[in-house]
Amino acid sequence: MSDKAKAAGQAAGNEYVTLVDHSTGRKFDFPLMPGSVGPKVIDVRKLYGTSGYFTYDPGYTSTGSCESKITYIDGEVGVLMHRGYKIEDLAEKTDFLEVCYLLLQGELPNAQQKAEFEHSITHHTMLHDQITYFFRGFRRDAHPMAIMVGVVGALSAFYHDSTDINDPQHRMIASHRLIAKMPTIAAWAYKYSIGQPFQYPRNNLNYAENFLQMLFAVPAEDYKVDPVLSKAINRLLILHADHEQNASTSTVRLAGSSGANPFACISAGISSLWGPSHGGANEAVLTMLDEIGHKDRIPEFIKRAKDPDDNFRLMGFGHRVYKNYDPRAKVMQQSCHEVLERLGIHDPMLELAMQLEKIALEDDYFVKRKLFPNVDFYSGIILKAMGFPTSMFTVLFAVARTVGWIAQWKEMIEDPSQKIGRPRQLYTGYDERPFVPLDKR
Ligand code: CMC
């Protein structure tokens, strides 16, 4: 940047950061961009053009990949807000579809907007009938997340009329379809794995009730939705709805940046979510608690988690952004007590989890590294109490996060400065060398 341009920028109130290359003595100025809250970012878009250097940041620990107005996290104090509303308020005072509307449209709906949105989602819950054959192509013992990846990707082959990403109407219909059909796909993935017939959606039920009915009803009996369970599912969906630029959301944005259709992008997000460091952690927490088995064995596992030569980690603990208690985990812990109490379930796993949490929070290793329970630590216990098999835990997360993915995808597509995502690398392989013919290798 020229000195003149910088002086003009400073006069207009802009701030700059100067990078000094001590090997050549050259100086480069980069603008500082302020957010509405939170730390400023250094705009390095012209770094390569002016200096010939790239930045190096594997895992993107210091890199902002986009501008967004949807979700704000302050990890130091443990704050999560969607469109300016605190997650605790949303979890207590709204329902999931209101949060979906908020994430997609930027504002909470009024009564009429809410009714219209609910009507649209409710009337998009059915799947094209041929999709049932698609399910039957999977092995019976397929993990439901594998089915989710396949079936959601396949939606683009069934709904051609909403795959033009440049048409706002197509984007809106695709968004509604994804939010509406995800519970149907998730419930059918479960039904398929246990050999029960698919339950069709019921338009007289709300989103959470309908999801439960498609999961747990059978044609031979009447099914009455337990309000305690539908409240718990509603809250769980809200708590997982969005979380700014996490691995799966970044995957959706990256896939979408090439112009791919939204169904394909969301399928990519589901794949990314599946891993145990991300959405798969809720399943991994229960597997871990099962393995620990008794509180007397906690010290042994804490010791393993601290051992740098052992790759065991305390699942449900730690977070890239939260260096304080995850606000979602607090709500989830409270919800966990409520559900178990109302269902009259005494689960020794909850006591084990609470004991593990207490010991870890007092341990110097965890204190120093600011490792606190995250959202996944208690969600598995609730889901288990509600009758979900462990393999469905991450599926529930995917159903909830779909709205976050789609809102972030939509925001990206509607951003005029959007470009295809294309990181650079630090190459450490061979320099050019002579080709060796096969008979000489
Ligand atoms: N148990 C033991 N040690 C841990 C843990 C843990 N769960 N998490 C982090 N550490 C240690 C890690 O070994 C490292 O120690 P040192 O500085 O001595 O090398 C330090 O803490 C920093 O860890 P990191 O791996 O550099 O941190 P990260 O930001 O790359 O990883 C994480 C974040 C969530 C992947 C990690 O904390 C983890 O693997 N947690 C367990 C899996 C889990 O619960 N994931 C769910 C995340 S929340 C829901 C979601 O986003 O999907």
Coordinates of all heavy atoms in Angstrom, one line a residue, residues 276-279 281 305 313-320 365-366 369 371 374-376 397, ligand 1:
P276 N -15.1 -38.1 15.2 CA -15.2 -38.0 16.6 C -14.6 -36.7 17.2 O -15.0 -36.3 18.4 CB -14.3 -39.2 17.1 CG -13.5 -39.6 16.0 CD -14.2 -39.2 14.7
S277 N -13.8 -35.9 16.5 CA -13.4 -34.6 17.0 C -14.5 -33.6 16.9 O -14.4 -32.5 17.4 CB -12.2 -34.1 16.3 OG -11.1 -35.0 16.4
H278 N -15.5 -33.9 16.1 CA -16.6 -32.9 15.9 C -17.9 -33.5 16.3 O -18.0 -33.9 17.5 CB -16.6 -32.6 14.4 CG -17.4 -31.4 13.9 ND1 -18.0 -30.5 14.8 CD2 -17.7 -31.0 12.6 CE1 -18.6 -29.6 14.1 NE2 -18.5 -29.9 12.8
G279 N -18.9 -33.8 15.5 CA -20.2 -34.2 15.9 C -20.2 -35.7 16.4 O -21.1 -36.0 17.2
A281 N -18.5 -36.8 18.6 CA -18.0 -36.8 20.0 C -19.1 -37.3 20.9 O -18.8 -37.9 21.9 CB -17.5 -35.4 20.4
A305 N -5.6 -39.6 29.6 CA -5.9 -38.4 28.8 C -4.8 -37.4 28.9 O -4.5 -36.7 27.9 CB -7.2 -37.8 29.3
R313 N -8.3 -39.3 24.5 CA -8.7 -38.0 24.9 C -10.0 -38.1 25.7 O -10.8 -39.0 25.4 CB -8.9 -37.0 23.8 CG -7.6 -36.5 23.2 CD -7.8 -35.4 22.2 NE -6.5 -34.8 22.0 CZ -6.4 -33.6 21.4 NH1 -7.4 -32.9 21.0 NH2 -5.2 -33.1 21.2
L314 N -10.2 -37.2 26.6 CA -11.5 -37.2 27.3 C -12.5 -36.7 26.4 O -12.5 -35.5 26.1 CB -11.3 -36.3 28.5 CG -12.0 -36.7 29.8 CD1 -11.5 -38.1 30.2 CD2 -11.6 -35.8 31.0
M315 N -13.4 -37.5 25.9 CA -14.4 -37.1 24.9 C -15.4 -36.2 25.5 O -15.8 -36.4 26.7 CB -15.0 -38.3 24.2 CG -14.1 -39.2 23.5 SD -12.8 -38.3 22.5 CE -13.8 -37.8 21.1
G316 N -15.9 -35.2 24.8 CA -16.8 -34.2 25.4 C -16.1 -33.1 26.2 O -16.8 -32.3 26.9
F317 N -14.8 -33.1 26.1 CA -14.0 -32.1 26.8 C -13.1 -31.3 25.9 O -12.6 -31.9 24.9 CB -13.1 -32.8 27.9 CG -13.6 -32.6 29.3 CD1 -14.6 -33.4 29.8 CD2 -13.0 -31.6 30.1 CE1 -15.0 -33.2 31.1 CE2 -13.4 -31.4 31.4 CZ -14.5 -32.2 31.9
G318 N -13.0 -30.0 26.1 CA -12.1 -29.2 25.2 C -12.9 -28.7 24.0 O -13.9 -29.2 23.6
H319 N -12.4 -27.6 23.5 CA -13.0 -27.0 22.4 C -12.0 -26.0 21.8 O -11.3 -25.3 22.5 CB -14.3 -26.2 22.8 CG -15.2 -25.9 21.6 ND1 -15.0 -24.8 20.8 CD2 -16.2 -26.6 21.1 CE1 -15.9 -24.8 19.9 NE2 -16.6 -25.9 20.0
R320 N -12.1 -25.9 20.4 CA -11.1 -25.0 19.8 C -11.4 -23.5 20.2 O -10.5 -22.7 20.3 CB -11.3 -25.1 18.2 CG -10.6 -24.1 17.4 CD -9.1 -24.1 17.6 NE -8.4 -25.3 17.2 CZ -8.2 -25.7 15.9 NH1 -8.5 -24.9 14.9 NH2 -7.6 -26.8 15.7
Y365 N -3.9 -30.3 34.8 CA -3.7 -30.4 33.3 C -4.9 -29.8 32.6 O -4.7 -29.0 31.7 CB -3.7 -31.9 33.0 CG -3.7 -32.3 31.5 CD1 -2.5 -32.5 30.8 CD2 -4.9 -32.4 30.8 CE1 -2.5 -32.8 29.5 CE2 -4.9 -32.7 29.4 CZ -3.7 -32.9 28.8 OH -3.7 -33.2 27.5
F366 N -6.1 -30.1 33.0 CA -7.3 -29.5 32.4 C -7.5 -28.0 32.7 O -7.9 -27.3 31.8 CB -8.5 -30.3 32.8 CG -8.5 -31.7 32.2 CD1 -7.9 -32.7 33.0 CD2 -9.0 -32.0 31.0 CE1 -7.8 -34.0 32.5 CE2 -9.0 -33.3 30.5 CZ -8.4 -34.3 31.2
R369 N -4.9 -25.9 30.6 CA -5.3 -25.9 29.1 C -6.7 -25.4 28.9 O -7.1 -25.4 27.7 CB -5.1 -27.3 28.5 CG -3.7 -27.7 28.4 CD -3.5 -29.2 28.1 NE -2.2 -29.6 28.0 CZ -1.3 -29.8 29.0 NH1 -1.8 -29.5 30.3 NH2 -0.1 -30.1 28.9
L371 N -9.6 -26.7 29.6 CA -10.5 -27.7 28.9 C -11.7 -27.9 29.8 O -11.6 -28.4 30.9 CB -9.7 -29.1 28.8 CG -8.4 -29.0 28.0 CD1 -7.6 -30.3 28.1 CD2 -8.7 -28.8 26.5
N374 N -17.9 -29.8 26.8 CA -18.5 -29.1 25.7 C -19.9 -29.7 25.5 O -20.4 -30.5 26.3 CB -17.7 -29.2 24.4 CG -17.4 -30.7 24.1 OD1 -18.3 -31.5 24.0 ND2 -16.1 -31.0 23.8
V375 N -20.6 -29.2 24.5 CA -22.1 -29.6 24.3 C -22.3 -31.1 24.3 O -23.4 -31.6 24.7 CB -22.6 -28.9 23.0 CG1 -22.0 -29.5 21.8 CG2 -24.1 -28.9 23.0
D376 N -21.3 -31.8 23.8 CA -21.5 -33.3 23.6 C -21.4 -34.1 24.9 O -21.7 -35.2 24.9 CB -20.5 -33.8 22.6 CG -20.7 -33.3 21.2 OD1 -21.9 -33.2 20.9 OD2 -19.8 -33.0 20.5
F397 N -27.5 -34.5 15.7 CA -26.7 -33.3 15.6 C -26.8 -32.8 14.1 O -27.0 -31.6 13.9 CB -25.2 -33.7 15.9 CG -24.3 -32.5 16.2 CD1 -23.2 -32.7 17.0 CD2 -24.5 -31.3 15.6 CE1 -22.3 -31.7 17.2 CE2 -23.6 -30.2 15.9 CZ -22.5 -30.4 16.6
Ligands
CMC1 N1 -8.6 -34.6 26.6 C1 -7.3 -34.5 26.9 N2 -6.5 -33.5 26.4 C2 -7.0 -32.6 25.6 C3 -8.4 -32.7 25.2 C4 -9.1 -33.8 25.7 N3 -10.4 -33.9 25.4 N4 -8.6 -31.7 24.3 C5 -7.5 -31.0 24.2 N5 -6.5 -31.6 24.9 C6 -5.1 -31.1 25.1 C7 -4.2 -31.4 23.9 O1 -3.6 -32.7 24.1 C8 -3.3 -30.3 23.9 O2 -2.3 -30.5 25.0 P1 -0.8 -30.0 24.8 O3 -0.9 -28.5 24.7 O4 -0.1 -30.5 25.9 O5 -0.3 -30.6 23.5 C9 -4.1 -29.1 24.4 O6 -5.2 -29.7 25.2 C10 -4.8 -28.3 23.2 O7 -5.4 -29.2 22.4 P2 -5.6 -29.1 20.8 O8 -5.7 -30.5 20.2 O9 -4.4 -28.3 20.3 O10 -6.9 -28.3 20.7 P3 -7.8 -28.2 19.4 O11 -8.4 -26.8 19.5 O12 -7.0 -28.5 18.1 O13 -8.9 -29.3 19.6 C11 -10.9 -30.5 20.1 C12 -10.2 -29.1 20.0 C13 -12.4 -30.3 20.4 C14 -10.7 -31.3 18.8 C15 -10.2 -31.3 21.3 O14 -10.4 -30.5 22.5 C16 -10.7 -32.7 21.4 O15 -10.2 -33.6 20.7 N6 -11.8 -32.9 22.3 C17 -12.4 -34.2 22.4 C18 -13.4 -34.4 21.3 C19 -14.7 -33.6 21.5 O16 -15.2 -33.6 22.6 N7 -15.1 -32.9 20.4 C20 -16.4 -32.2 20.4 C21 -16.1 -30.7 20.2 S1 -17.6 -29.7 20.6 C22 -18.8 -30.1 19.4 C23 -18.4 -29.9 18.0 O17 -17.8 -28.9 17.7 O18 -18.7 -30.8 17.2

